């Protein structure tokens, strides 16, 4: 890992050598490049897919562990694919192998990508959250979010939601409820270091969810009255 501080108040984190090592140690040659980390079928799991033998399964487990390390420290763009692959290490099949190979092909084509972080005002914190509705085979949604101080994402989250949502609005509310704890922790951590947060904004793209989060049950309709009351705690957090 190479960490370089630049004169424009930014820092870059580069793991090119480690990414090349993960690609070279893979049991198959990675000679092509892919445009994206995964296809639209990333979350699909076939019950009749052939399971990997022990040698391949061990290679799968080892490679996923390396990819997890890479995505946590530097390559946030592969978090979604890695998040899925980590759920498959106990019983991987040929489809999982192809998905991992696709991810390695993407990394091969983006070897020079690095994480760049910076910001002009540590007192201005911006958070971004989105939810993909019912994308998993069990119809659960997926939450993604990140926190930035102007340049790059410093803190991020990418995870499957733990309960089923009945609409994209509900999935967004659940996503904010899961993600807002990261915002609270970041603010409290900086305040303990002596830095006050003067602006703490959360961005999302669902107007109905935003109304529920700001107004609580007052903005609930027949389609959203079933949402658990615990998610209305977001309103209290926004007010504070």
């Amino acid at each position: 890992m190479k960490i370089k501080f630049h004169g424009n108040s930014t820092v870059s984190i580069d793991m090119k050598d480690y990414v090349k090592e993960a690609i070279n140690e893979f049991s198959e040659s990675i000679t092509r490049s892919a445009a994206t980390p995964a296809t639209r079928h990333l979350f699909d799991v076939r019950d009749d897919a052939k399971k990997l033998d022990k040698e391949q399964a061990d290679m799968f487990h080892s490679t996923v562990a390396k990819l997890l390390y890479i995505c946590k420290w530097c390559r946030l763009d592969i978090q979604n694919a890695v998040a899925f692959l980590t759920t498959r290490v106990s019983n991987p099949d040929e489809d999982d192998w192809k998905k991992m190979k696709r991810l390695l092909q993407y990394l091969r084509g983006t070897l020079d990508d690095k994480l760049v972080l910076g910001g002009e005002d540590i007192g201005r914190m911006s958070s971004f959250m989105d939810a993909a509705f019912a994308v998993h085979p069990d119809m659960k949604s997926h939450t993604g979010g990140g926190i930035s101080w102007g340049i790059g994402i410093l803190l991020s989250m990418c995870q499957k939601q733990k309960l089923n949502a009945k609409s994209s609005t509900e999935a967004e509310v659940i996503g904010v409820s899961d993600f807002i704890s990261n915002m609270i922790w970041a603010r409290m951590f900086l305040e303990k270091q002596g830095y006050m947060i003067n602006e703490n904004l959360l961005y999302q793209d669902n107007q109905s969810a935003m109304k529920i989060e700001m107004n609580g049950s007052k903005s609930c309709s027949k389609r959203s009255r079933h949402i658990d009351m615990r998610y209305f705690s977001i309103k209290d957090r926004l007010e504070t």
Side-chain angles (χ1 to χ4, degrees):
M1 184 189 303
K2 298 178 181 178
I3 301 176
K4 185 176 181 180
F5 293 88
H6 305 277
N8 58 350
S9 300
T10 62
V11 58
S12 61
I13 304 172
D14 184 2
M15 295 185 68
K16 181 178 180 179
D17 292 340
Y18 191 79
V19 173
K20 290 173 66 175
E21 179 182 319
I23 293 174
N24 293 333
E25 290 184 358
F26 188 59
S27 58
E28 292 186 21
S29 297
I30 305 299
T31 57
R32 299 174 53 192
S33 298
T36 59
T39 67
R40 59 182 297 183
H41 306 294
L42 173 65
F43 299 127
D44 293 349
V45 177
R46 293 187 301 125
D47 294 333
D48 59 345
K50 183 179 178 181
K51 302 301 179 183
L52 300 181
D53 58 38
K54 187 179 186 307
E55 183 178 353
Q56 279 189 310
D58 289 343
M59 173 59 67
F60 181 86
H61 196 163
S62 175
T63 304
V64 170
K66 293 176 182 177
L67 295 173
L68 180 61
Y69 180 74
I70 292 169
C71 82
K72 287 296 183 182
W73 283 101
C74 178
R75 296 297 301 270
L76 306 183
D77 52 331
I78 66 171
Q79 273 192 331
N80 195 33
V82 173
F84 171 78
L85 292 175
T86 55
T87 66
R88 304 292 301 163
V89 293
S90 61
N91 193 25
D93 56 38
E94 289 184 340
D95 290 345
D96 300 321
W97 183 268
K98 293 177 182 178
K99 292 169 184 176
M100 184 178 65
K101 187 175 179 180
R102 162 79 181 215
L103 180 52
L104 291 173
Q105 290 172 340
Y106 170 75
L107 288 173
R108 178 185 180 276
T110 57
L111 277 174
D112 293 322
D113 285 6
K114 61 189 71 173
L115 177 63
V116 179
L117 300 171
E120 297 179 353
D121 186 356
I122 199 170
R124 299 179 61 186
M125 189 172 80
S126 300
S127 301
F128 308 86
M129 197 289 307
D130 198 9
F133 174 59
V135 293
H136 289 277
D138 57 3
M139 293 295 106
K140 289 182 180 177
S141 303
H142 202 93
T143 299
I147 301 177
S148 175
W149 277 265
I151 301 175
I153 295 294
L154 180 59
L155 301 173
S156 63
M157 183 184 77
C158 180
Q159 67 181 32
K160 180 180 179 180
Q161 293 184 358
K162 293 180 173 59
L163 68 163
N164 289 91
K166 295 182 68 176
S167 66
S168 58
T169 295
E170 185 178 356
E172 291 266 346
V173 173
I174 293 172
V176 171
S177 177
D178 292 341
F179 183 71
I180 203 168
S181 58
N182 296 280
M183 298 173 58
I184 296 170
W185 177 87
R187 185 193 69 188
M188 293 175 64
F189 176 81
L190 287 175
E191 289 178 349
K192 291 295 182 181
Q193 312 309 310
Y195 300 101
M196 297 305 297
I197 300 297
N198 303 313
E199 185 176 276
N200 188 4
L201 300 178
L202 171 63
Y203 296 90
Q204 65 179 132
D205 59 2
N206 189 301
Q207 291 290 333
S208 297
M210 291 166 65
K211 289 179 180 179
I212 292 175
E213 291 154 12
M214 291 187 291
N215 303 322
S217 58
K218 294 179 181 178
S219 290
C220 285
S221 65
K222 293 181 179 179
R223 297 184 61 185
S224 55
R225 287 177 183 170
H226 65 281
I227 297 178
D228 198 305
M229 288 301 296
R230 61 183 168 177
Y231 296 111
F232 295 133
S233 63
I234 301 171
K235 178 177 180 294
D236 297 332
R237 294 296 186 181
L238 292 175
E239 290 175 349
T240 57

